[in-house]
Amino acid sequence: MKLRNDSQRFGAIALLFHWLVALAVIGLFALGFYMVDLGYYDPWYRKGPDLHRSVGVLLFIVMTLRLGWRFISPPPAPLASHKPWEKISAHLTHWALYILLFVAMVSGYLISSADGSSVAVFNWFSVPSVSGHQTGLEDTAGLIHYWVTWAVIGLASVHALAAIKHHFLDRDDTLRRILGLAPRTNPSPSTGTHNYS
């Protein structure tokens, strides 16, 4: 498998970014949902938020690299069989997910740094506060973080269902390409792949 994308398929780096981000987002959402009801004496009361913050900062770095890689190695073109509205909705969904993820990560960072403290990442390094102590910022950022993360999960679910629809109903190679699998058939050079990076 090539490292870079080509006109037909996603490369290894784009696939790695896609699935690494997908797993991190699902894990962070699940952990965040679990942490809400933790009691003060629960061992995960402090461990959970520390892990959540650390993975969140690393995800921000990965997403920044992924966005850069998208410009260095553009994704394949949509499949010729896809309808215009499918191409437009896939494009809009993709960029909406990018925007929502960055809003979720920045708001999460602001929750933790609103008191002026830095955010430690697995004791490897710390990200300093850019806001300093700001009264009320934690609550505002928390509200944004809550609703945006639910929006991410909702949109990602629609994104996944669309890929499944393409695989089982349309019987095209959309899902196979993002899984790194060979196409069902050998497409002609004019046929690309759906942009689900």
Side-chain angles (χ1 to χ4, degrees):
M1 180 182 290
K2 298 178 181 178
L3 292 179
R4 296 173 68 100
N5 301 327
D6 60 29
S7 62
Q8 303 296 323
R9 304 180 67 176
F10 292 103
I13 293 178
L15 292 175
L16 178 63
F17 277 139
H18 179 276
W19 293 110
L20 189 62
V21 169
L23 289 173
V25 168
I26 294 170
L28 284 170
F29 183 82
L31 180 58
F33 192 79
Y34 171 73
M35 291 189 310
V36 172
D37 296 322
L38 290 178
Y40 182 80
Y41 295 104
D42 191 293
W44 277 90
Y45 183 80
R46 290 179 180 80
K47 187 186 299 183
D50 287 343
L51 178 61
H52 192 86
R53 284 189 290 264
S54 295
V55 175
V57 171
L58 295 180
L59 179 60
F60 181 88
I61 295 171
V62 169
M63 281 295 296
T64 303
L65 293 173
R66 182 184 181 185
L67 186 59
W69 181 251
R70 180 182 175 85
F71 289 103
I72 294 170
S73 181
L79 282 170
S81 62
H82 290 169
K83 300 176 181 67
W85 70 266
E86 290 178 312
K87 297 175 184 180
I88 293 170
S89 62
H91 184 75
L92 292 177
T93 298
H94 182 266
W95 283 106
L97 280 170
Y98 265 93
I99 293 168
L100 289 171
L101 280 170
F102 276 110
V103 171
M105 291 181 289
V106 170
S107 60
Y109 160 75
L110 290 175
I111 294 170
S112 300
S113 62
D115 62 354
S117 61
S118 60
V119 177
V121 180
F122 291 122
N123 293 320
W124 298 341
F125 62 92
S126 294
V127 181
S129 173
V130 295
S131 63
H133 181 76
Q134 295 289 334
T135 303
L137 177 59
E138 182 177 357
D139 292 336
T140 302
L143 187 63
I144 293 170
H145 190 73
Y146 176 83
W147 287 111
V148 167
T149 51
W150 274 105
V152 166
I153 292 301
L155 199 55
S157 298
V158 172
H159 177 70
L161 288 172
I164 292 170
K165 174 258 188 188
H166 279 293
H167 186 76
F168 290 105
L169 298 182
D170 300 337
R171 299 192 64 78
D172 63 32
D173 291 325
T174 299
L175 184 58
R176 294 183 67 84
R177 296 299 170 85
I178 203 59
L179 291 172
L181 302 174
R184 287 189 173 112
T185 58
N186 292 319
S188 65
S190 63
T191 303
T193 183
H194 205 319
N195 183 0
Y196 273 97
S197 58

Short mmCIF file of all heavy atoms in Angstrom, two decimals, residues 168-191:
data_model
loop_
_atom_site.label_atom_id
_atom_site.label_comp_id
_atom_site.label_asym_id
_atom_site.label_seq_id
_atom_site.Cartn_x
_atom_site.Cartn_y
_atom_site.Cartn_z
N PHE A 168 -23.67 -1.78 1.31
CA PHE A 168 -24.68 -2.84 1.21
C PHE A 168 -25.81 -2.54 0.21
O PHE A 168 -26.32 -3.46 -0.41
CB PHE A 168 -25.27 -3.12 2.59
CG PHE A 168 -24.31 -3.80 3.52
CD1 PHE A 168 -23.72 -3.09 4.56
CD2 PHE A 168 -23.99 -5.14 3.37
CE1 PHE A 168 -22.83 -3.71 5.42
CE2 PHE A 168 -23.09 -5.76 4.23
CZ PHE A 168 -22.51 -5.04 5.26
N LEU A 169 -26.18 -1.27 0.07
CA LEU A 169 -27.27 -0.94 -0.85
C LEU A 169 -26.76 -0.55 -2.23
O LEU A 169 -27.24 -1.06 -3.24
CB LEU A 169 -28.14 0.17 -0.26
CG LEU A 169 -28.84 -0.15 1.06
CD1 LEU A 169 -29.70 1.02 1.51
CD2 LEU A 169 -29.68 -1.42 0.95
N ASP A 170 -25.79 0.36 -2.25
CA ASP A 170 -25.25 0.80 -3.54
C ASP A 170 -24.21 -0.18 -4.09
O ASP A 170 -23.93 -0.16 -5.28
CB ASP A 170 -24.62 2.19 -3.41
CG ASP A 170 -25.61 3.23 -2.94
OD1 ASP A 170 -26.82 3.03 -3.14
OD2 ASP A 170 -25.18 4.25 -2.37
N ARG A 171 -23.65 -0.95 -3.17
CA ARG A 171 -22.63 -1.95 -3.53
C ARG A 171 -21.47 -1.32 -4.29
O ARG A 171 -20.98 -1.86 -5.30
CB ARG A 171 -23.25 -3.11 -4.32
CG ARG A 171 -24.32 -3.87 -3.53
CD ARG A 171 -24.71 -5.17 -4.18
NE ARG A 171 -23.60 -6.11 -4.23
CZ ARG A 171 -23.17 -6.84 -3.21
NH1 ARG A 171 -23.74 -6.71 -2.01
NH2 ARG A 171 -22.17 -7.67 -3.35
N ASP A 172 -21.02 -0.17 -3.79
CA ASP A 172 -19.83 0.44 -4.36
C ASP A 172 -18.65 0.25 -3.42
O ASP A 172 -18.76 -0.45 -2.41
CB ASP A 172 -20.07 1.92 -4.71
CG ASP A 172 -20.40 2.76 -3.49
OD1 ASP A 172 -19.89 2.47 -2.39
OD2 ASP A 172 -21.17 3.73 -3.62
N ASP A 173 -17.53 0.87 -3.73
CA ASP A 173 -16.29 0.60 -2.99
C ASP A 173 -15.96 1.64 -1.92
O ASP A 173 -14.84 1.68 -1.41
CB ASP A 173 -15.11 0.50 -3.97
CG ASP A 173 -15.19 -0.73 -4.84
OD1 ASP A 173 -15.65 -1.77 -4.34
OD2 ASP A 173 -14.79 -0.66 -6.01
N THR A 174 -16.93 2.47 -1.55
CA THR A 174 -16.68 3.51 -0.55
C THR A 174 -16.10 2.96 0.74
O THR A 174 -15.05 3.39 1.20
CB THR A 174 -17.98 4.27 -0.25
OG1 THR A 174 -18.45 4.88 -1.45
CG2 THR A 174 -17.78 5.31 0.82
N LEU A 175 -16.79 2.00 1.34
CA LEU A 175 -16.34 1.46 2.62
C LEU A 175 -15.07 0.66 2.47
O LEU A 175 -14.18 0.72 3.33
CB LEU A 175 -17.45 0.61 3.24
CG LEU A 175 -17.16 0.05 4.64
CD1 LEU A 175 -16.89 1.17 5.63
CD2 LEU A 175 -18.33 -0.81 5.12
N ARG A 176 -14.94 -0.09 1.39
CA ARG A 176 -13.74 -0.89 1.17
C ARG A 176 -12.51 0.00 1.08
O ARG A 176 -11.44 -0.35 1.58
CB ARG A 176 -13.88 -1.73 -0.11
CG ARG A 176 -14.96 -2.79 -0.02
CD ARG A 176 -15.01 -3.62 -1.28
NE ARG A 176 -13.79 -4.42 -1.43
CZ ARG A 176 -13.61 -5.60 -0.86
NH1 ARG A 176 -14.56 -6.13 -0.09
NH2 ARG A 176 -12.49 -6.26 -1.04
N ARG A 177 -12.64 1.14 0.46
CA ARG A 177 -11.48 2.03 0.31
C ARG A 177 -11.01 2.58 1.65
O ARG A 177 -9.83 2.67 1.90
CB ARG A 177 -11.83 3.18 -0.65
CG ARG A 177 -12.14 2.72 -2.07
CD ARG A 177 -10.95 2.01 -2.72
NE ARG A 177 -11.31 1.39 -3.97
CZ ARG A 177 -11.34 2.00 -5.15
NH1 ARG A 177 -11.07 3.29 -5.22
NH2 ARG A 177 -11.66 1.34 -6.23
N ILE A 178 -11.96 2.97 2.50
CA ILE A 178 -11.56 3.55 3.79
C ILE A 178 -11.11 2.47 4.76
O ILE A 178 -10.49 2.75 5.79
CB ILE A 178 -12.68 4.43 4.38
CG1 ILE A 178 -12.10 5.45 5.36
CG2 ILE A 178 -13.76 3.58 5.04
CD1 ILE A 178 -11.09 6.39 4.75
N LEU A 179 -11.42 1.21 4.44
CA LEU A 179 -10.88 0.08 5.22
C LEU A 179 -9.54 -0.40 4.68
O LEU A 179 -8.93 -1.30 5.24
CB LEU A 179 -11.88 -1.08 5.22
CG LEU A 179 -13.18 -0.87 6.01
CD1 LEU A 179 -14.14 -2.01 5.76
CD2 LEU A 179 -12.89 -0.72 7.50
N GLY A 180 -9.11 0.17 3.58
CA GLY A 180 -7.83 -0.21 2.99
C GLY A 180 -7.91 -1.50 2.19
O GLY A 180 -6.88 -2.12 1.93
N LEU A 181 -9.13 -1.90 1.80
CA LEU A 181 -9.31 -3.14 1.05
C LEU A 181 -9.31 -2.87 -0.45
O LEU A 181 -9.62 -1.77 -0.90
CB LEU A 181 -10.64 -3.80 1.44
CG LEU A 181 -10.80 -4.15 2.93
CD1 LEU A 181 -12.21 -4.67 3.18
CD2 LEU A 181 -9.76 -5.17 3.36
N ALA A 182 -8.98 -3.90 -1.21
CA ALA A 182 -9.00 -3.78 -2.67
C ALA A 182 -10.43 -3.60 -3.15
O ALA A 182 -11.37 -4.10 -2.52
CB ALA A 182 -8.38 -5.02 -3.30
N PRO A 183 -10.64 -2.89 -4.24
CA PRO A 183 -12.00 -2.71 -4.76
C PRO A 183 -12.60 -4.02 -5.24
O PRO A 183 -11.89 -4.97 -5.57
CB PRO A 183 -11.79 -1.73 -5.93
CG PRO A 183 -10.37 -1.88 -6.31
CD PRO A 183 -9.63 -2.21 -5.05
N ARG A 184 -13.94 -4.05 -5.26
CA ARG A 184 -14.63 -5.23 -5.77
C ARG A 184 -14.29 -5.47 -7.24
O ARG A 184 -14.17 -6.58 -7.69
CB ARG A 184 -16.15 -5.04 -5.63
CG ARG A 184 -16.68 -5.13 -4.22
CD ARG A 184 -18.21 -5.14 -4.27
NE ARG A 184 -18.78 -5.38 -2.95
CZ ARG A 184 -19.46 -4.49 -2.25
NH1 ARG A 184 -19.63 -3.28 -2.73
NH2 ARG A 184 -19.96 -4.78 -1.07
N THR A 185 -14.21 -4.37 -7.96
CA THR A 185 -13.88 -4.44 -9.38
C THR A 185 -12.74 -3.49 -9.66
O THR A 185 -12.41 -2.63 -8.84
CB THR A 185 -15.09 -4.03 -10.24
OG1 THR A 185 -15.49 -2.71 -9.87
CG2 THR A 185 -16.24 -5.00 -10.04
N ASN A 186 -12.13 -3.61 -10.80
CA ASN A 186 -11.07 -2.69 -11.18
C ASN A 186 -11.69 -1.50 -11.89
O ASN A 186 -12.13 -1.62 -13.03
CB ASN A 186 -10.07 -3.37 -12.13
CG ASN A 186 -9.29 -4.46 -11.41
OD1 ASN A 186 -8.90 -4.27 -10.27
ND2 ASN A 186 -9.08 -5.58 -12.07
N PRO A 187 -11.77 -0.37 -11.21
CA PRO A 187 -12.42 0.79 -11.82
C PRO A 187 -11.59 1.37 -12.94
O PRO A 187 -10.39 1.20 -13.00
CB PRO A 187 -12.55 1.79 -10.65
CG PRO A 187 -11.41 1.43 -9.76
CD PRO A 187 -11.24 -0.06 -9.89
N SER A 188 -12.26 2.06 -13.82
CA SER A 188 -11.54 2.77 -14.89
C SER A 188 -10.87 3.98 -14.29
O SER A 188 -11.23 4.45 -13.21
CB SER A 188 -12.53 3.20 -15.97
OG SER A 188 -13.44 4.14 -15.44
N PRO A 189 -9.86 4.55 -14.98
CA PRO A 189 -9.13 5.70 -14.42
C PRO A 189 -10.04 6.88 -14.10
O PRO A 189 -9.70 7.72 -13.29
CB PRO A 189 -8.15 6.05 -15.55
CG PRO A 189 -7.96 4.77 -16.29
CD PRO A 189 -9.29 4.08 -16.23
N SER A 190 -11.22 6.96 -14.76
CA SER A 190 -12.11 8.10 -14.52
C SER A 190 -12.94 7.93 -13.26
O SER A 190 -13.63 8.84 -12.85
CB SER A 190 -13.05 8.29 -15.72
OG SER A 190 -13.87 7.15 -15.86
N THR A 191 -12.90 6.73 -12.67
CA THR A 191 -13.71 6.47 -11.49
C THR A 191 -12.86 6.62 -10.23
O THR A 191 -11.86 5.95 -10.08
CB THR A 191 -14.30 5.04 -11.53
OG1 THR A 191 -15.04 4.91 -12.73
CG2 THR A 191 -15.18 4.79 -10.33
#
